Amino acid sequence: MMRIFPGCAAVCLAIGLIVSGERVVLADPINGLPIVSYDAFDYGFRGPDRLDAGMVNLQVVDTGQHPHQMQLVRLEGGHTAAEFAAAIKAEPKRFPVWGRLMGGPNGVVPGSRASTIQKLVPGDYVLVCWLPDPTGAPHLTLGMTKSVTVVAGTPKPAPEIVPDVTITLADFSYTLSKPITAGTRTINVVNQGQQVHETLVVQLPRKGLAKAYGEALTPGKPAAGFPPGKPVGGVVGLAPGDHALFQMAFTPGHYGLLCLFPDHETGQPHFEKGMTLEFDVK
């Protein structure tokens, strides 16, 4: 059965339920999409093993003691989640060609949640968390993976979702189509670069820098272990040419975007190559 969040009875009555086989999912009150939710704990994911193809609101809830994210990877050629984790552990700077990174909700702190709007096509997938533990080991190398199969279902018309803002990713920069203002906003993230990129959204202290947050996650850096800010979502790794949507309630304040993925050639995190952006929400 799909997870129903504690204390959501009133919401369920207000927006209704969608029943699919043995799974029960909430309907997204904004877009009418099914909400597919997973718990992210230390170190793993808890949620459904099989999903229906189509547009979904893909959600992660951090029930652990550390920040977590949920990368969606489509596996090809019969490869498994264990093989993907082993390939990344053996060669962290490169992704296997049979694993396509397709976004997913980016990092949040314990007790928080984040979501993306994704189109799922039939196939085998794995959920992973790239975020590092205090020693720098990515959580997926600690067992934080989950196999998921997407099966063909009855085709349903996808709602037309018009984003408020588009974030364009390049090698190595972010461009906003217009300023982000306070309120619940739908953001389209488009990767026009030649490498995998992400959009990690961080709430920063006044005049804080996104680069400083990334450096705090890097073992050996002077500020390691003391991130000056809080991750609040976004979209994890997207393959070149792909896009995904996320929705977030932006409150007034100072924010940053950064990419933690490694450069193909040097292994240097993209934020160290200039892939950061700070902005104020009013």
Side-chain angles (χ1 to χ4, degrees), residues 98-152:
W98 41 264
R100 187 174 183 86
L101 278 61
M102 301 186 65
N106 218 326
V108 288
V109 296
S112 300
R113 66 188 64 185
S115 64
T116 55
I117 296 172
Q118 306 272 165
K119 182 178 181 180
L120 302 179
V121 298
D124 293 322
Y125 293 77
V126 59
L127 308 177
V128 304
C129 179
W130 304 113
L131 292 179
D133 75 352
T135 70
H139 291 170
L140 88 160
T141 64
L142 303 176
M144 196 160 183
T145 67
K146 180 177 178 60
S147 297
V148 176
T149 300
V150 175
V151 297

